[in-house]
Amino acid sequence: MPAAIGLDDVVAAETVLSHVDGEAGRLVVRGHDIETLVGHVPFEQATALLWDGLIDLPAEGLARALGAARLEAYDRLAPLVPATRALAPVPAMRFLLAGLPTMEAPVAVRLLAAAGVAAAFAIAGKAVRPDPSLGHAADLLRMIRGRPVAAAEAAALDAYLVTILDHGLNASTFAARVVASTAAGPAAALIAGLCALEGPLHGGAPGPVLDMLDAVGLPENAPAWVAAELDAGRRLMGFGHRIYRVRDPRADVLKAALARLGGRSARLTLAEAVEAAALAALERRKAGRRLDTNVEFYTALLLDALGVPRAGFTALFAAGRTAGWLAHVREQEARGRIIRPQSRYVGPLPAVAA
Ligand code: ACO
């Protein structure tokens, strides 16, 4: 299959937002290495940095504006929650966001708040009133768990949200930019991003990472379990990446956030054994491809340690990545040119009349 079928190495946008250096294992967000942001600046400040010059920042500061917008989102979304009861978190989130009325300015702040509130409602299965005095991460975790959260837990979720803020032209960001390029508007582009994120080859992987750890059970089972999966032709969730040829730097940033949360769990010991077995097996079987640990492996461990149910991991990913999608949408809109590639027709042609 020609590489262009997966758009490998095709440059489809210019961006000032983030740069993924796959050979060096480096992620730069608005001129800053990701390691210098995570754990050092809160989600609101990282978002303001990302949006700078593209999206107007509220005079009262993003943290205050987001708090107020979460309350507004509660009023708009809470009546819709009963209709989501039979839905898994991402479809529930899609439903809630699709039901939003047309928004007045500031649209980006309102959409970012709504994405967080919709994710929390979709994961918790109920509407909990936001607390605008809290930081965004602390409030989302409180709404998900239905009780106050410790400062260390809020800090860990904040670190996660900053880690996944933006990541070049990944599949969901590309989907959002394609929709933005048609001038459909940021709400439509956000939902497109969410739909693209859902699949297990992209943001749907961390729940299955936990399923994998459960299936392995004990550290000593890891090599045989991994071998059986690969023999069966299945992919190991949390490994491999289109761009990174070395370890995804976000894996280590999240592993450090997990360590800051404290307490070494049996699950972490198991995870390290599975990671070692997976890397050894992938190296042996896919020599030259350089498959390594990606962000989703430690996402699973961190969000699990925070008491987020595994079915909700992708919805929470979307809540954070919305900040990146919205910035890309603005950048794409400013470009003012529709994204419209070609396909190569390989089907039959009509018979030529004699
Ligand atoms: N486990 C086993 N084999 C793998 C894995 C994996 N995790 N990843 C890639 N491979 C294999 C492929 O099957 C392929 O083998 P083949 O050449 O014999 O057919 C070979 O390695 C090359 O891989 P590609 O398909 O070229 O990798 P691609 O860049 O298309 O896919 C992807 C990247 C989708 C992330 C892939 O590595 C994968 O499926 N990983 C597991 C799911 C996952 O962790 N997703 C989260 C990604 S991070 C994110 O999006 C936030």
Side-chain angles (χ1 to χ4, degrees):
M1 189 192 297
I5 296 296
L7 300 186
D8 306 29
D9 302 325
V10 171
V11 174
E14 287 187 332
T15 183
V16 298
L17 296 167
S18 61
H19 172 57
V20 182
D21 183 338
E23 287 295 328
R26 185 178 193 196
L27 169 59
V28 174
V29 176
R30 294 299 307 247
H32 300 265
D33 278 308
I34 192 66
E35 295 82 356
T36 67
L37 296 175
V38 177
H40 299 283
V41 299
F43 174 71
E44 291 83 345
Q45 199 179 325
T47 299
L49 172 75
L50 191 70
W51 287 4
D52 185 38
L54 287 163
I55 293 174
D56 288 339
L57 293 168
E60 70 271 34
L62 193 53
R64 275 183 85 123
L66 262 182
R70 282 196 303 277
L71 268 183
E72 190 185 305
Y74 170 84
D75 290 338
R76 290 175 158 183
L77 299 180
L80 304 176
V81 169
T84 66
R85 292 258 150 80
L87 299 176
V90 172
M93 191 176 170
R94 276 202 309 259
F95 176 90
L96 292 173
L97 292 175
L100 281 176
T102 312
M103 293 193 155
E104 312 89 52
V107 173
V109 174
R110 289 191 155 106
L111 283 175
L112 182 58
V117 170
F121 291 179
I123 297 167
K126 61 177 193 255
V128 177
R129 193 174 175 77
D131 178 349
S133 71
L134 293 176
H136 197 60
D139 204 19
L140 296 196
L141 195 54
R142 187 190 64 85
M143 286 191 273
I144 289 167
R145 300 211 319 211
R147 59 181 167 78
V149 298
E153 294 174 315
L157 185 64
D158 191 81
Y160 170 69
L161 294 178
V162 175
T163 302
I164 51 97
L165 193 67
D166 196 48
H167 200 244
L169 202 59
N170 58 84
S172 56
T173 300
F174 183 52
R177 284 189 79 127
V178 169
V179 172
S181 83
T182 71
L190 191 169
I191 290 167
L194 177 59
C195 292
L197 187 75
E198 189 177 357
L201 300 191
H202 189 15
V209 166
L210 277 195
D211 298 340
M212 170 174 73
L213 297 182
D214 286 349
V216 175
L218 293 169
E220 54 270 32
N221 297 342
W225 191 91
V226 162
E229 280 299 285
L230 294 176
D231 285 346
R234 287 191 283 271
R235 291 188 179 197
L236 302 173
M237 293 294 122
F239 298 93
H241 200 273
R242 173 60 60 81
I243 307 293
Y244 290 120
R245 290 289 157 257
V246 293
R247 196 174 167 84
D248 183 335
R250 299 169 300 173
D252 286 330
V253 165
L254 291 178
K255 192 173 182 185
L258 186 63
R260 283 197 296 277
L261 197 53
R264 209 195 141 78
S265 66
R267 184 163 257 164
L268 179 57
T269 304
L270 171 63
E272 285 174 343
V274 171
E275 185 181 17
L279 293 179
L282 290 170
E283 162 95 44
R284 256 192 330 272
R285 295 181 186 227
K286 303 284 175 193
R289 175 64 188 157
R290 296 159 69 192
L291 300 169
D292 214 316
T293 314
N294 67 44
V295 65
E296 302 292 40
F297 194 76
Y298 284 99
T299 289
L301 293 166
L302 184 70
L303 296 185
D304 180 57
L306 288 175
V308 178
R310 68 186 73 183
F313 290 173
T314 307
L316 207 41
F317 188 165
R321 181 55 62 83
T322 295
W325 290 334
L326 291 169
H328 278 273
V329 163
R330 195 64 216 102
E331 204 176 40
Q332 187 65 45
E333 286 172 343
R335 203 76 212 151
R337 188 167 165 79
I338 192 167
I339 296 174
R340 203 307 185 186
Q342 291 263 28
S343 53
R344 186 162 51 88
Y345 180 67
V346 294
L349 290 169
V352 181

